[in-house]
Amino acid sequence: MTCRLATLLLALGCVVVPSSAAATASSRFVVIDGDGAEALERNLKSAGSQGYRLVASANGTDVTGRSRIAVLLERDPGGRTVEFAVRVGTGDLTDPSMRRAIDPLFEDGYRFSTAGFVVGSRPEMWLPASAYADQATIILERPADVGARRSYLALDFGSEEAFHSQLAERTGEGFEVLGLWNTDRRLQVVLQRSLDDGRPPAVGATQRLLLAATRKALKLSLNPLARRGYRIRQAEDPPTAGPPILLLQQTAGPDEFVEYRFLSKVPNRMRTDRFLDKLSRYAAKGWRLTPGGLTDNVFTLERDPRRDRSAPRATYRLIASASADELASALEQAVAGGERLVTMVVEPARTSLLVERLSAGGSERHSRNP
């Protein structure tokens, strides 16, 4: 993907620092602007030794078109330290070269994080965009209290029926789905589970992969599943053209179901007034952005179909700045005023933030830790 939308919840205090700066003891949040894998790992190690943990990562481009990665970290309330490692490759975790790079880290107690996968095109100026190769930057973490080691695997997307059976088998063995990633125009589903902790593997809730030819058909297929308690766990744009691919998990009861719809043609620059106006019109009708349902090309919306008039209403606005200090200050003021950050987009010369405010009296039904 060319730009990973990172969904986060932030409290007061956010400090953005360049990759060469060190996190200070008073900063709750820091953002490291990666400049190559070695520099990114070096700065992550420095922050981790001071008690910061990974919250989110996002990928964009600089003004020359080269990939630029931003990583958000939060200070652990207990001051626990974390060790980080960064590996770069094709992102195909079934590839022997990738396994040789990742396996020793897992044997040493490292693990994947849902916020630690950043996949983007690797531009070559003399080739057309369709020929760009994908490159994955993978951030692994090892807490000071390592605990049980992890194992991982990746499922290639092929036959839909075969995928369903494999996914059901693996989740029954205790594997947890971390997410979906497109690498080199192939869909990979990455899973992870705990080892040697003395407990039997937990059987996960049913998970399904949903495909459809059009977004209209997707909506018609999705809402009956939503009424049965399925919720969107993660969304990804397809390797080629088409509707989003959704990973669903049966986590809600029959009295907690929602309905979904899709806001397509998300602009590259989110400060676009037309995009915000369209989102605001849906929000006025009770729709809210779905955690986990955001991709580069589609925003998923959800609402309670019973249209309870006492339910909270969301309003959205955009914050954008080329200055890290100004952006951090604006975000701190927004959160202090009752807003929260929903998505962050890395742009060539600026970062855009979409913030959400709920009407008074509403309950915070959603939360997500990337």
Side-chain angles (χ1 to χ4, degrees):
M1 69 194 73
T2 57
C3 179
R4 165 63 62 198
L5 298 175
T7 305
L8 355 146
L9 298 176
L10 300 182
L12 293 177
C14 179
V15 178
V16 181
V17 297
S19 59
S20 59
T24 64
S26 61
S27 305
R28 175 171 179 176
F29 292 94
V30 296
V31 172
I32 297 174
D33 201 354
D35 184 18
E38 292 184 4
L40 178 60
E41 183 177 81
R42 182 171 60 252
N43 285 283
L44 282 170
K45 287 181 177 295
S46 175
S49 67
Q50 299 177 59
Y52 284 90
R53 60 189 181 186
L54 184 64
V55 174
S57 56
N59 183 50
T61 59
D62 61 19
V63 293
T64 68
R66 297 176 58 188
S67 178
R68 181 168 72 88
I69 296 174
V71 178
L72 174 67
L73 301 102
E74 179 184 11
R75 179 175 292 280
D76 185 277
R80 291 167 293 189
T81 60
V82 181
E83 294 185 46
F84 291 103
V86 177
R87 295 294 182 268
V88 177
T90 63
D92 179 1
L93 295 181
T94 65
D95 182 84
S97 63
M98 287 297 295
R99 295 200 66 95
R100 285 194 295 270
I102 298 297
D103 287 355
L105 292 172
F106 266 75
E107 293 172 2
D108 202 23
Y110 283 86
R111 63 188 66 168
F112 290 138
S113 165
T114 55
F117 283 78
V118 183
V119 181
S121 295
R122 184 171 53 225
E124 300 290 350
M125 297 305 178
W126 56 86
L127 294 176
S130 61
Y132 289 172
D134 287 333
Q135 176 174 285
T137 299
I138 303 175
I139 302 170
L140 299 96
E141 55 188 13
R142 181 174 64 181
D145 51 341
V146 174
R149 293 182 301 111
R150 264 57 172 183
S151 66
Y152 72 96
L153 60 86
L155 299 179
D156 283 325
F157 177 74
S159 163
E160 185 176 352
E161 290 302 319
F163 177 85
H164 288 163
S165 62
Q166 289 183 51
L167 188 59
E169 179 181 352
R170 296 304 187 178
T171 53
E173 294 172 353
F175 280 95
E176 177 188 4
V177 177
L178 293 181
L180 317 176
W181 289 276
N182 286 331
T183 57
D184 289 329
R185 296 169 184 80
R186 297 168 60 193
L187 180 70
Q188 291 236 322
V189 182
V190 181
L191 306 95
Q192 180 175 256
R193 72 172 176 183
S194 298
L195 296 175
D196 62 22
D197 58 0
R199 295 176 297 178
V203 178
T206 304
Q207 295 175 322
R208 296 186 56 165
L209 190 74
L210 181 65
L211 299 174
T214 66
R215 291 193 176 95
K216 182 178 181 180
L218 183 62
K219 178 182 176 183
L220 295 175
S221 302
L222 176 58
N223 284 325
L225 290 173
R227 288 193 288 270
R228 290 166 50 193
Y230 281 91
R231 294 288 179 84
I232 294 176
R233 169 73 180 272
Q234 187 165 342
E236 180 61 280
D237 292 319
T240 55
I245 298 170
L246 305 176
L247 183 67
L248 308 175
Q249 189 169 17
Q250 200 169 23
T251 59
D255 59 338
E256 298 176 325
F257 68 92
V258 297
E259 61 178 332
Y260 290 107
R261 72 174 302 143
F262 302 97
L263 180 58
S264 303
K265 298 180 180 178
V266 177
N268 291 330
R269 306 188 72 80
M270 290 181 55
R271 64 182 184 276
T272 305
D273 292 339
R274 181 180 298 179
F275 164 73
L276 186 59
D277 289 343
K278 190 174 184 179
L279 177 59
S280 297
R281 288 197 299 271
Y282 281 118
K285 298 177 182 178
W287 294 94
R288 292 184 60 191
L289 289 171
T290 301
L294 311 180
T295 76
D296 292 345
N297 297 320
V298 174
F299 277 12
T300 307
L301 303 168
E302 66 178 72
R303 72 174 174 184
D304 187 331
R306 292 163 293 193
R307 315 278 181 88
D308 186 352
R309 293 183 179 275
S310 65
R313 288 291 187 268
T315 56
Y316 296 94
R317 71 184 181 96
L318 292 168
I319 303 173
S321 177
S323 166
D325 291 338
E326 290 178 3
L327 192 65
S329 176
L331 180 59
E332 182 175 350
Q333 293 177 27
V335 175
E339 295 173 296
R340 64 179 184 178
L341 182 62
V342 179
T343 61
M344 173 178 68
V345 177
V346 175
E347 298 182 275
R350 59 193 293 155
T351 300
S352 292
L353 308 174
L354 181 64
V355 295
E356 176 190 63
R357 181 193 296 275
L358 291 182
S359 59
S363 61
E364 289 292 337
R365 181 168 56 85
H366 299 292
S367 65
R368 185 183 180 189
N369 240 336

